[in-house]
Amino acid sequence: MPQQTYDVVIVGGGHNGLTAAAYLSRAGLSVLLLERSGHLGGASVSAEAFPGMGARLSRYSYLVSLLPRQIIDDLGLRITLRRRRYSSYTPQPGTERGLLIDHGDPQATRASFEGLGAGADIEGWDRLYARTSRLAQALWPTVTGPLPRRRDVDALVGDSSITRDFLERPLGEVIETSVADDLVRGVVLTDGLISTYASAHDVDLQQNVCFLYHVIGGGTGDWDVPVGGMGAVSGALEEAAHRGGAQLCTDSEVTSLGDGSVTWRNAAGDESSAAARQVLWAAAPGVLDRVMGNEPEQRAEGAQVKVNLLLSRLPRLRDATVPSDAAFGGTFHINETYTQLETAYRAALSGALPQPVPAEIYCHSITDPSILSPQLQESGAHTLTVFALQTPDRLLDGADLDTARTTYERAVLDSLSSVLAEPVEDVVLTMPDGRPCIETKTTRDLQDALAMPGGNIFHGPLSWPFAEDDEALTGAAARWGVTSAYDGVLLAGAGSRRGGGVSGLGGYHAARAILEARAD
Ligand SMILES: Cc1cc2nc3c(=O)[nH]c(=O)nc-3n(C[C@H](O)[C@H](O)[C@H](O)COP(=O)(O)OP(=O)(O)OC[C@H]3O[C@@H](n4cnc5c(N)ncnc54)[C@H](O)[C@@H]3O)c2cc1C
């Protein structure tokens, strides 16, 4: 039978693949999207993680900052992103105090700094974030255009001390010259360590790149709650791709590419193929290498443990001055002082799981109860998501995964309980079969479930969102930052130049590159 020919075949049905499918099909191209697993959305999905309980959690990714308004408007996505009332709460380990950063109340934030004995840092903190705000306002509008050059960024920011400090010097230097308190320094550093195993002073600046993506989103750096959970975001993208006429196939794992042909296999092992004028790779670049018969050049390594919990109520804090719904209403940092983050980095370097494991928590159901059944809402139940840092995938080399998962889960729960007035287990709900509502995902679990090599949530190390001044940017794919190592294949996922996180940018940039090249 002759192969069917498509203008574009997209490999990977995560939110980026869906974004590309929506843009390209709406532009009139014939589009086939192939997704290996049984459902669409990739790392942007909601799931009944605890069967029979009535809670649909954002199973992997949970907050949105990097999805541009332009993509929402272009594709007519019906989604609501809700601002959280509080920015963060960080208990001081071993004490009954903590730092509450309250968006809505600068006076309360000031009092919290002072209560911690860190009043002298208020000015440095404000200045640091005024400087990141300058970066955000300059860089954010560029993300929906072709890659800017570094010199463009300098001109847009208009203050070379800011670009030098954040783009050229290890993040640790700017933190240490801005604020003095160990806990305050730690709160800043955490944004540089999301799925990024690093020390504040690493000279490769991966922690700076990660930090940058965490402070520029929307021009404000706010991280908002997707109402209905992350599945609502990928669901809206799926609908847009459907409306455009894209053909979306699950249970279709691409096994080879070449000479304009794409071959995939279903769960029963049956193979199919199609001809493609253009292939977009919206899965991890490391998987592309393997499909092309090559070993990836560098190891893609995540550095987090993710634990989802369903609780009968919010736990009580050791710090009685802060209500639980305020502490859990923003990002709750546990054991993330600057010293603890560095100690954890060194422990992992020596091959040990950090103890206590630094982690941040987020409670979806405070800002958006709609993910809970009416009964759970009435009962006062809440979801918690814990995202632990400085736990690189290499720690699992040669380990028995089940044993390691149990050890990691214990470490995360102990870390959490260390800042509570009661063990967290006391408020964990149990499923009808008697198991506790706790779901733990190591980097290896993510690799298995999502084909994210090494559990790296960005598909590999993040890249600066600009090109160097002397970099050749020949052709539409290079200008949009979506070239791959292989002819005829463009990157369209998190592993593209500016694609990490829930942003749709990988898919959007690849679609723009294709449409631009066709117009030439
Ligand atoms: C635990 C966790 C927490 C996170 N938290 C956040 C957060 O709060 N906010 C945020 O912005 N980002 C977060 N992220 C990162 C963000 O979710 C990802 O960077 C983003 O979702 C990647 O989207 P994508 O579409 O590029 O790729 P993915 O979502 O990874 O989708 C790629 C798809 O390709 C499929 N695939 C792989 N190989 C093949 C093949 N051979 N053939 C066919 N299909 C294939 C996979 O099954 C997968 O569905 C988190 C990620 C994780 C894992």
Side-chain angles (χ1 to χ4, degrees), residues 88-101 109-119 121-122 125 128-129 175-176 178-191 193 211 319 322 331-342 358-360 389 418-419:
S88 68
Y89 171 68
T90 311
Q92 188 168 56
T95 74
E96 286 168 11
R97 286 172 309 188
L99 178 65
L100 183 69
I101 310 279
T109 300
R110 176 169 282 274
S112 189
F113 268 95
E114 281 161 358
L116 199 70
D121 276 342
I122 296 172
W125 170 276
L128 190 148
Y129 284 107
I175 293 176
E176 287 169 26
S178 302
V179 287
D181 185 87
D182 195 38
L183 180 145
V184 176
R185 285 179 172 178
V187 174
V188 182
L189 179 58
T190 54
D191 275 339
L193 303 180
F211 180 80
D319 179 352
V322 174
T331 299
F332 188 139
H333 300 276
I334 38 175
N335 292 309
E336 291 190 331
T337 67
Y338 199 62
T339 306
Q340 284 176 312
L341 290 168
E342 184 64 17
E360 35 212 75
L389 310 185
S418 74
V419 298

Side-chain angles (χ1 to χ4, degrees), residues 45-46 56-58 62 226-234 364 368 370-371:
V45 288
S46 298
R56 277 186 72 73
L57 284 87
S58 299
Y62 42 103
V227 171
M230 203 52 100
V233 175
S234 48
H364 186 112
D368 169 31
S370 76
I371 61 162

